[in-house]
Amino acid sequence: MPKVLIATEKPFAAAAVQKIKAEFDAAGYPQSWLESYADPKDLHAAVADAEALIIRSDKVDEAVFAAAPQLKIVVRAGAGYDNIDLAAATAHNVVAMNTPGQNSNAVAELALAMMIYMARGKFNGKSGSELAGKKLVLYGFGFVARYLAKMAIGVGMEVFAYDPYLSSEIMTKEGVTALHKVEDIFSTGDYISLHIPATAETKKSINWSLLSLVKDSCILVNTARKEVIDEDALLKAFADKPKFRYVSDVEPDCSAQLAELYPDRSYWTPKKMGAQTGEANVNAGVAAARQIIAFFEKGDKTYKVN
Ligand code: 3PG
């Protein structure tokens, strides 16, 4: 039976570990677990005899594939797969998959929580503001954005979205107004929430020509990837717009400057927390296990991304 390695620098919750084990045990697949490792060499050693690999945000690059001669499939238990070198996967005949939608509700809840945290001045005891009646613009309208739209409508926000890959009807059906130009995102939102992947096209794409358009009191929410932001432009937005705020589910590279110059107007989680719930870990981890089993048993490649 194929041997599976579950390598998670940021481990799954105990309940998820148990359920993933149960899936593989029932199928008779032997597993090994590498959790909380700090050195990529530990991953290289652990993957040597693995035919299948489950990861989260763990980096899977050429060096990992080169160290894994038996590997047939790698599944990213989560949505974003910018941590996998897809060209290297293909060159090594490895199928790469993600588990779309499985952890999205957790990320959407964190985005809403971070919006409230900033609106209430990081709970500093002074008067803040409410989300109700404000305009939220979602940049990208995938699973996370759709969950967030529902919640935001529930608290009385007016919700807009821009997604160049989707038709307006999909947004209208969810009670969201479609925007048609990327510039409109930045000029419309009291809150702007990013839901785009980090790709060659999107990296540093949130630049000054877009950030210069934001309202003075705009709150920019990033539960996507830090790489999509041009941080020079971000710092310029802080300097130019005295009420502009930024909240992020990952530490920006310019964190030292933000902490020194704009501590009240910025916040980031110490470690990516969006998908860190027991429920999301169970959903994404079990989906990854099932996808691996379906791949070996039936040749199912439904969620292949390379
Ligand atoms: C994702 O892309 O699924 C999220 O960013 C969650 O990443 P994580 O598994 O590292 O928490």
Side-chain angles (χ1 to χ4, degrees):
M1 284 298 187
K3 183 165 180 219
V4 185
L5 171 68
I6 298 94
T8 48
E9 174 274 324
K10 187 173 59 185
F12 288 119
V17 169
Q18 218 179 26
K19 290 205 158 77
I20 295 165
K21 275 194 166 98
E23 292 290 329
F24 286 126
D25 287 347
Y29 287 28
Q31 315 121 56
S32 54
W33 293 74
L34 176 69
E35 293 182 318
S36 309
Y37 61 96
D39 191 338
K41 287 198 185 93
D42 295 341
L43 175 57
H44 301 166
V47 82
D49 60 349
E51 286 177 71
L53 173 62
I54 293 180
I55 46 144
R56 294 183 65 181
S57 287
D58 308 72
K59 201 172 167 142
V60 179
D61 54 12
E62 168 60 32
V64 174
F65 289 113
Q70 314 294 328
L71 198 63
K72 312 279 184 310
I73 179 168
V74 53
V75 182
R76 193 281 191 244
Y81 46 86
D82 47 301
N83 50 321
I84 304 177
D85 181 337
L86 295 184
T90 304
H92 286 267
N93 285 321
V94 176
V95 168
M97 293 184 183
N98 66 345
T99 63
Q102 298 292 342
N103 59 15
S104 310
N105 187 56
V107 181
E109 284 191 12
L110 184 77
L112 188 77
M114 294 204 302
M115 284 160 61
I116 295 172
Y117 185 56
M118 291 313 272
R120 294 302 183 95
K122 300 169 81 172
F123 305 145
N124 63 1
K126 298 184 191 153
S127 259
S129 61
E130 298 178 15
L131 302 187
K134 308 295 187 310
K135 291 185 164 81
L136 165 66
V137 183
L138 305 164
Y139 185 3
F141 201 60
F143 288 102
V144 177
R146 290 178 211 193
Y147 280 119
L148 180 55
K150 274 196 184 63
M151 295 177 204
I153 291 167
V155 299
M157 297 187 89
E158 201 181 338
V159 183
F160 301 78
Y162 171 81
D163 191 321
Y165 300 101
L166 295 176
S167 73
S168 307
E169 286 73 51
I170 291 173
M171 296 166 198
T172 314
K173 238 174 74 191
E174 302 288 331
V176 169
T177 304
L179 298 176
H180 301 288
K181 285 200 311 227
V182 70
E183 287 79 9
D184 294 344
I185 300 170
F186 293 87
S187 57
T188 303
D190 298 307
Y191 292 80
I192 297 167
S193 190
L194 304 177
H195 302 288
I196 52 176
T199 63
E201 193 190 329
T202 63
K203 281 183 185 163
K204 289 189 191 268
S205 65
I206 315 285
N207 54 22
W208 182 242
S209 68
L210 297 177
L211 286 175
S212 62
L213 303 173
V214 301
K215 294 180 183 178
D216 283 345
S217 58
C218 170
I219 296 180
L220 180 61
V221 182
N222 186 1
T223 54
R225 293 290 183 268
K226 70 174 178 182
E227 289 84 359
V228 302
I229 306 247
D230 171 347
E231 293 195 2
D232 290 336
L234 183 71
L235 286 165
K236 198 160 155 50
F238 271 99
D240 257 47
K241 298 171 192 271
K243 290 187 184 157
F244 172 80
R245 282 163 282 175
Y246 179 63
V247 57
S248 172
D249 185 21
V250 65
E251 183 171 347
D253 293 332
C254 63
S255 60
Q257 282 136 293
L258 293 184
E260 190 194 330
L261 299 170
Y262 313 110
D264 298 337
R265 294 160 57 199
S266 57
Y267 174 80
W268 54 89
T269 50
K271 202 165 184 120
K272 191 144 58 101
M273 288 294 295
Q276 275 299 64
T277 66
E279 295 89 333
N281 288 174
V282 167
N283 291 342
V286 168
R290 289 184 181 162
Q291 285 172 215
I292 285 172
I293 295 164
F295 170 77
F296 284 111
E297 304 302 322
K298 299 185 268 181
D300 188 339
K301 295 184 188 167
T302 304
Y303 296 105
K304 184 172 183 280
V305 293
N306 64 331

